[in-house]
Amino acid sequence: MFKPLLISLLTLAALPATAQEVYRFGGDAYMAGDNVTLSGKAVDDAFIVGNTVVISAPVEGSAHAGGRSVSISAPVGNSLYAAGVNVNVAADVGGDAQLAGDTVLVAASVLGDVRIAAQRVELTGSIGDSALVAAENILLTETISGDASFATKNISFGENARIEGTLHLYAENVDDIVVPEFVVPADRIERHPEEEFDGGVTIDGSNGTDMSSGQGWMSWFGGKIGSILTLTVLATVVAYFVPGALMSLRERTLESPFRAIWMGFLAISALAGALFVLGVTGYGILLAPFAILGAVLLAIAGYVIGAYIMGVGAMVLAGQPQPATLSERAIAALTGAVAVTILAMLPVVGWPLVVAVTLAGAGALVIRWVAPGFYTEV
């Protein structure tokens, strides 16, 4: 299962409106639709995408949810990954919570770490470990048992607010932020300029903070999540409108993968190389931007198609049937997006393999459209 992956604010804007579809396998629940509610018996893990998402059935493992509005009203035994315009965590989380949105409300206890990126954040439930929050406005009314790192413009505290570890503050005018003594003593507050906050703060859970340089978890994690979900949405939308064509492209690719890669290479090279030929003709240079745009669009289409083909292949290898419903196609798209992203992170061989996947998808599309042939009788 794909544990640490899901859902950003891009997800729901691109998904077509559809009735709720449910797919259950191995104790897990996979759901997609417009207004989606997970109810009934407890499940192991939950993977849910929709316009309005409600989890009202206990999740014994991890929950992954994304939508315009996301509400967690039943306990999550392990970790929670959720994003949306509005995210409301109203039930206990037994592990970590990684949340993103415009408004994020955490009204129940989280036993592990909390990591949040939002415009407004309210922490009105207790946090069992550390908290890393980037938001313009933060409200804290309960206890954070570990360290806290806040990048914010405004922060307010309730009378029961406590931070047991060290508080790291990042703000434009960080010295202007007032933190009451009952929340955390002044000797356990470290103030930093806003520009130093790049997500590179690693809280180790033992009242120590590693100010590591580099991109940091928020930039890295956010970038990976964004790319995975953008690719998932694109592939899901394509699969929704032309499922038969995608299956045909998959069959063609599997019949002759090297031919598909070769044809993708030729087609993209021809479009990109047309720039020089058009330049030689003089006035034809005016058409050069269209040739470059065609090459870019074909490469993007190939990337989306190739990722989806990989996702379907992974499902088939796992013993699942060919995806027939929107939720199954969304799962295949997500699987492929995760696979391609992981592939790209492999040293040395990763990027060439991603290029091969892209060329194969583009080549399958060209073969379907043009049906080229070599060494044929004229």
Side-chain angles (χ1 to χ4, degrees):
M1 298 300 171
F2 353 97
K3 295 292 183 185
L5 309 161
L6 243 319
I7 315 308
S8 76
L9 300 175
L10 303 173
T11 311
L12 276 272
L15 279 178
T18 179
Q20 172 174 308
E21 296 194 41
V22 184
Y23 174 67
R24 294 178 182 268
F25 175 75
D28 299 333
Y30 305 85
M31 305 178 70
D34 187 9
N35 299 310
V36 184
T37 299
L38 175 64
S39 58
K41 297 187 300 182
V43 299
D44 186 6
D45 297 326
F47 303 84
I48 305 178
V49 176
N51 179 37
T52 300
V53 172
V54 177
I55 296 181
S56 59
V59 178
E60 295 174 348
S62 296
H64 311 72
R68 180 182 57 81
S69 175
V70 177
S71 178
I72 312 299
S73 57
V76 176
N78 200 342
S79 296
L80 170 65
Y81 306 89
V85 176
N86 299 303
V87 177
N88 182 18
V89 181
D92 295 345
V93 177
D96 299 336
Q98 301 197 39
L99 313 170
D102 179 73
T103 299
V104 175
L105 309 177
V106 181
S109 65
V110 177
L111 294 185
D113 299 324
V114 168
R115 302 178 180 92
I116 305 175
Q119 193 277 333
R120 180 169 70 94
V121 172
E122 293 185 6
L123 298 176
T124 57
S126 61
I127 309 301
D129 206 330
S130 60
L132 179 57
V133 181
E136 288 191 11
N137 300 283
I138 299 175
L139 169 65
L140 175 65
T141 65
E142 291 296 331
T143 300
I144 297 176
S145 297
D147 293 346
S149 179
F150 293 157
T152 186
K153 290 184 178 179
N154 303 292
I155 185 168
S156 54
F157 302 93
E159 61 182 14
N160 293 323
R162 301 288 187 275
I163 297 175
E164 302 295 340
T166 300
L167 171 61
H168 297 266
L169 281 176
Y170 297 82
E172 184 176 358
N173 300 306
V174 68
D175 292 329
D176 295 340
I177 295 179
V178 178
V179 181
E181 186 75 14
F182 68 82
V183 175
V184 57
D187 60 358
R188 283 198 277 117
I189 300 177
E190 296 187 13
R191 300 174 185 267
H192 310 275
E194 183 180 42
E195 56 270 18
E196 287 187 8
F197 186 83
D198 63 351
V201 181
T202 302
I203 301 174
D204 62 13
S206 58
N207 295 341
T209 303
D210 175 22
M211 295 294 295
S212 60
S213 61
Q215 191 175 17
W217 81 266
M218 290 189 76
S219 298
W220 182 89
F221 185 76
K224 296 303 179 186
I225 290 294
S227 62
I228 288 171
L229 293 170
T230 300
L231 180 56
T232 299
V233 167
L234 288 173
T236 302
V237 170
V238 173
Y240 176 77
F241 287 107
V242 287
L246 273 183
M247 286 299 99
S248 176
L249 292 176
R250 177 179 179 272
E251 292 172 0
R252 290 178 182 273
T253 304
L254 293 180
E255 286 174 3
S256 182
F258 292 106
R259 180 180 181 230
I261 293 173
W262 175 238
M263 289 309 306
F265 174 80
L266 287 181
I268 294 175
S269 299
L271 287 170
L275 171 66
F276 302 100
V277 177
L278 292 171
V280 171
T281 65
Y283 292 113
I285 194 65
L286 298 174
L287 299 176
F290 297 98
I292 298 300
L293 178 62
V296 172
L297 291 177
L298 181 58
I300 292 173
Y303 185 61
V304 173
I305 293 169
Y308 185 79
I309 290 173
M310 285 189 66
V312 174
M315 291 183 66
V316 172
L317 286 175
Q320 299 303 302
Q322 296 276 356
T325 65
L326 177 62
S327 58
E328 292 174 357
R329 291 169 190 143
I331 294 166
L334 177 61
T335 304
V338 172
V340 170
T341 302
I342 293 175
L343 207 61
M345 292 189 291
L346 295 177
V348 183
V349 298
W351 182 243
L353 289 175
V354 172
V355 172
V357 170
T358 302
L359 294 178
L365 189 60
V366 169
I367 292 171
R368 179 178 173 83
W369 278 350
V370 184
F374 295 97
Y375 304 110
T376 58
E377 295 291 336
V378 179

